[in-house]
């Protein structure tokens, strides 16, 4: 009987440990949405006014002149930045998510130059942003 109890206890512990390993990876891709700043800015490239959204992003990422992998016009050094709109028709950006594979987000780089950041460099969900 004593052997059985140890087996059940060890088996239960192993199942609990397995659950701890499996559960976080199941939610690792879930991202919180970008959030509204309740303000508006004009996007020079599009000539329109868009609502400002803040999103969590990787620091030091390049901002491209167009929604492609071309000319880098600046960098985003902060990890929470504001963005105006999303372009879903740019070049492939390396995003794992097929619905975001060509999504680029319009913003102002830290050096004052306007451009686009790869969606893959933004950890917040960018669906709430207005389409450019």
């Amino acid at each position: 009987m004593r052997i059985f109890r140890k087996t059940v206890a060890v088996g239960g512990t192993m199942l609990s440990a397995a659950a701890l390993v499996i559960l976080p990876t199941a939610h690792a891709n879930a991202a919180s949405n970008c959030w509204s700043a309740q303000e508006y800015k004009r996007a020079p490239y599009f000539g329109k006014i868009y609502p400002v959204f803040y999103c969590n992003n990787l620091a030091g990422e390049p901002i491209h002149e167009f929604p492609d992998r071309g000319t880098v016009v600046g960098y985003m050094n902060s990890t929470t930045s504001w963005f105006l709109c999303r372009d879903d028709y740019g070049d492939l950006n390396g995003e794992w998510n097929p619905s975001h594979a060509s999504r680029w987000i319009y913003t102002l780089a830290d050096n004052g130059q306007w451009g686009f950041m790869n969606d893959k460099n933004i950890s917040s969900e960018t669906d709430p942003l207005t389409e450019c």
Side-chain angles (χ1 to χ4, degrees):
M1 187 66 123
R2 189 173 183 166
I3 293 172
F4 178 75
R5 284 186 187 154
K6 284 184 180 178
T7 304
V8 171
V10 170
T13 302
M14 289 172 59
L15 286 175
S16 297
L20 289 174
V21 172
I22 293 170
L23 289 177
T25 57
H27 298 288
N29 294 328
S32 61
N33 286 338
C34 295
W35 59 97
S36 172
Q38 302 297 316
E39 63 181 276
Y40 297 83
K41 291 187 185 282
R42 181 175 298 281
Y45 183 77
F46 299 100
K48 294 182 182 178
I49 296 174
Y50 292 96
V52 174
F53 281 86
Y54 281 88
C55 306
N56 296 315
N57 58 276
L58 297 174
E61 294 302 319
I63 303 299
H64 299 265
E65 182 177 13
F66 300 109
D68 61 21
R69 293 181 178 269
T71 304
V72 173
V73 296
Y75 293 88
M76 192 67 76
N77 296 315
S78 58
T79 57
T80 302
S81 307
W82 60 264
F83 300 89
L84 295 186
C85 59
R86 59 183 164 85
D87 184 322
D88 288 318
Y89 305 102
D91 286 354
L92 293 177
N93 63 19
E95 174 70 55
W96 66 269
N97 182 343
S99 66
H100 293 208
S102 58
R103 181 174 287 179
W104 295 75
I105 312 300
Y106 192 66
T107 190
L108 187 66
D110 285 345
N111 65 354
Q113 297 296 311
W114 288 94
F116 297 85
M117 180 185 277
N118 285 334
D119 184 77
K120 73 174 185 170
N121 296 328
I122 301 173
S123 57
S124 298
E125 175 54 62
T126 56
D127 281 346
L129 275 75
T130 307
E131 193 170 319
C132 297

